[in-house]
Amino acid sequence: MNQIERKYDLYSQNFNRNAYATFAEMRAQDPIYRQIGLDGVTPIWFFTRYEDIDAILRDKRFLRDEALSKNPEDRYQPSPLDELINNHMLYKDGEDHRRLRSLVSQAFTPKRIADLRPRVQAIANELIAALKAKGQMDLVAEFSFPLPTIVILEMLGIPAEDRDKFKVWSNALLAPQMTHESAQEALKLLTDFTNYLRSLFAKRRQEPKDDLITALLQAEEAGDKLSENELFSTMVLLIVAGHETTVNLITNAILALSRNPAQYTQLKANPDLMPQAVEEFLRFDGSVERALNRFAAEDINYKGHQIKRGDPIILILASANHDESKFIQPETLELERQPNPHLGFGKGMHYCLGAPLARLETEIALNTLLAQLPDLRLAIPETDLRWRFLPGFRGLEALPVTWLIQ
Ligand code: HEM
């Protein structure tokens, strides 16, 4: 088999259903494997073992910024839209990364996040109160999605009446565009999105508030700390991170519990176990399956593989989290697993800035569901579940559930 062809299916519905079996096969047979990526043209190195992924995430020879990994004459010219949405910390290395991260990090310290607890709990209670008497819902649309999106939009200072627009925009920012038509449609949506942000920025400049948008605008105005493109891109990053991550962790956790009744009973009886259980949900079936692409800054001989300068690399975090050489019985959901050095939030300098927020939201969401919706269970056979086509993320399109009405 020509290595460059696609030996492993990493994109289909069938793959998503059995992703961990595919990863086990890759770890055993091809732990470092080069095959064609989603575009059908570009060869990508896929890494699946914990040891390698952990090492590369901390190795400065592997960059996030593709342009820096190339000779100046080989760099492509980013479009104005790319400049507007990709100029954030997760696309940067070195000093630029540090500067952009430090501007936002004050809003995400453990203390600031802990102060949000009563508000997050209140949102969870309101959502449940509105649907408790129904006896059934789509967990994704009616609970897992609204909870973290309301929280991040409130933190940013987006008016409540505009919330629904962000769902469409966030999806347009992330979903791969496989046809010319869908690319055009996405471009139109992103133009609407940037126009919206522009007018919101203008309002906040005139009338500052105690929100993250105002704080970022003040950083921009204070001098050379944040350019206009970086301001837009930072908003994009926080909106996408707030819309596409915790929602899937909450949902995947409920799916995992429904498949593991003993652990489900254990958790219902011991809500104090939840912080530890959340770590296990991040390991067992977290929401971010792969780190964003890395690019080799130089020619590297990695364990006998000749990685060339500029080569793209994908690190499959979900596979590292099931590596049998790191975790005992990795396919078992062990709520009290100790130690649990999962890579669900990444590692190294791009380690998830939102981790304290995601942990808080997931803990509150699951404890509220378990306490308030008795006997919560799937409403359809598992074989009918469909995964979203969003490579790199593990998220269900819907999770219909039912419970007893008391
Ligand atoms: C369960 C929920 C979440 C998971 C599993 C998750 C996972 C991750 C991972 C794996 C990375 C590193 C990506 C890489 O190295 O390529 C990351 C970075 C990041 N995450 Fe999260 N995330 C979650 C929630 C959030 C939330 C709620 C926010 C904030 C609203 C957030 C903000 C960020 C930011 C800003 C970065 C970039 C950090 C940097 O480049 O220095 N995340 N996240």
Side-chain angles (χ1 to χ4, degrees), residues 57 89-90 97 101 108 152 237-238 241-242 245-246 249 282 287-288 291-292 294 317 344-346 349-354 357-358:
L57 284 171
M89 68 185 93
L90 195 40
H97 170 264
R101 184 167 169 125
F108 286 88
I152 190 68
L237 173 62
L238 294 176
T245 54
T246 314
L249 183 60
L282 280 155
S287 42
V288 179
L292 272 79
R294 269 32 183 197
L317 304 172
F345 286 128
M349 71 176 190
H350 292 287
Y351 180 81
C352 179
L353 184 67
L357 178 61

Side-chain angles (χ1 to χ4, degrees), residues 54-67:
D54 178 62
I56 290 178
L57 284 171
R58 288 179 291 128
D59 186 332
K60 293 206 164 48
R61 295 173 303 167
F62 295 91
L63 301 171
R64 267 296 296 137
D65 188 340
E66 185 173 9

Side-chain angles (χ1 to χ4, degrees), residues 78-314:
S79 70
L81 188 66
D82 281 342
E83 292 280 17
L84 211 53
I85 63 181
N86 292 340
N87 254 304
H88 58 65
M89 68 185 93
L90 195 40
Y91 272 87
K92 304 282 180 191
D93 301 281
E95 179 50 30
D96 276 344
H97 170 264
R98 199 200 56 73
R99 173 177 53 86
L100 291 170
R101 184 167 169 125
S102 75
L103 283 175
V104 187
S105 56
Q106 290 108 318
F108 286 88
T109 58
K111 159 91 177 79
R112 288 291 284 268
I113 297 305
D115 289 347
L116 291 176
R117 181 176 281 273
R119 179 64 192 134
V120 177
Q121 184 65 63
I123 298 169
N125 291 345
E126 277 166 35
L127 290 167
I128 297 285
L131 45 81
K132 202 169 180 178
K134 285 194 345 178
Q136 56 172 326
M137 67 166 155
D138 167 15
L139 182 76
V140 176
E142 294 176 77
F143 186 76
S144 310
F145 183 81
L147 178 65
T149 56
I150 292 173
V151 173
I152 190 68
L153 294 180
E154 282 189 3
M155 284 177 80
L156 287 166
I158 305 286
E161 62 271 20
D162 295 335
R163 271 180 206 148
D164 289 349
K165 299 185 184 139
F166 282 82
K167 181 176 186 179
V168 184
W169 288 335
S170 171
N171 194 52
L173 282 158
L174 216 60
Q177 306 306 335
M178 307 304 281
T179 64
H180 178 69
E181 288 71 31
S182 73
Q184 289 301 107
E185 175 59 19
L187 192 63
K188 193 193 152 302
L189 288 168
L190 296 185
T191 310
D192 295 346
F193 172 66
T194 48
N195 287 341
Y196 174 92
L197 284 187
R198 260 198 198 95
S199 79
L200 189 62
F201 290 162
K203 279 190 205 143
R204 282 296 185 285
R205 281 202 170 99
Q206 283 192 333
E207 209 181 310
K209 291 197 174 168
D210 182 20
D211 59 29
L212 203 43
I213 292 182
T214 306
L216 290 171
L217 284 168
Q218 285 167 351
E220 189 211 359
E221 282 163 4
D224 57 1
K225 279 197 228 147
L226 187 69
S227 72
E228 205 199 14
N229 280 346
E230 289 169 344
L231 170 67
F232 268 93
S233 298
T234 301
M235 290 288 294
V236 166
L237 173 62
L238 294 176
I239 289 164
V240 170
H243 276 67
E244 308 287 350
T245 54
T246 314
V247 42
N248 298 325
L249 183 60
I250 298 168
T251 311
N252 296 356
I254 292 294
L255 177 62
L257 288 173
S258 77
R259 286 171 171 167
N260 292 274
Q263 285 84 339
Y264 194 2
T265 308
Q266 182 191 9
L267 199 51
K268 267 193 282 193
N270 303 286
D272 292 348
L273 256 189
M274 195 55 88
Q276 231 181 315
V278 169
E279 299 310 307
E280 178 66 347
F281 293 130
L282 280 155
R283 184 199 71 81
F284 188 72
D285 197 10
S287 42
V288 179
E289 180 185 287
R290 312 173 191 175
L292 272 79
N293 291 15
R294 269 32 183 197
F295 301 91
E298 56 192 74
D299 292 349
I300 297 167
N301 178 336
Y302 190 94
K303 296 189 175 173
H305 297 269
Q306 304 303 325
I307 301 178
K308 291 257 168 302
R309 180 175 179 187
D311 278 359
I313 288 148
I314 289 185

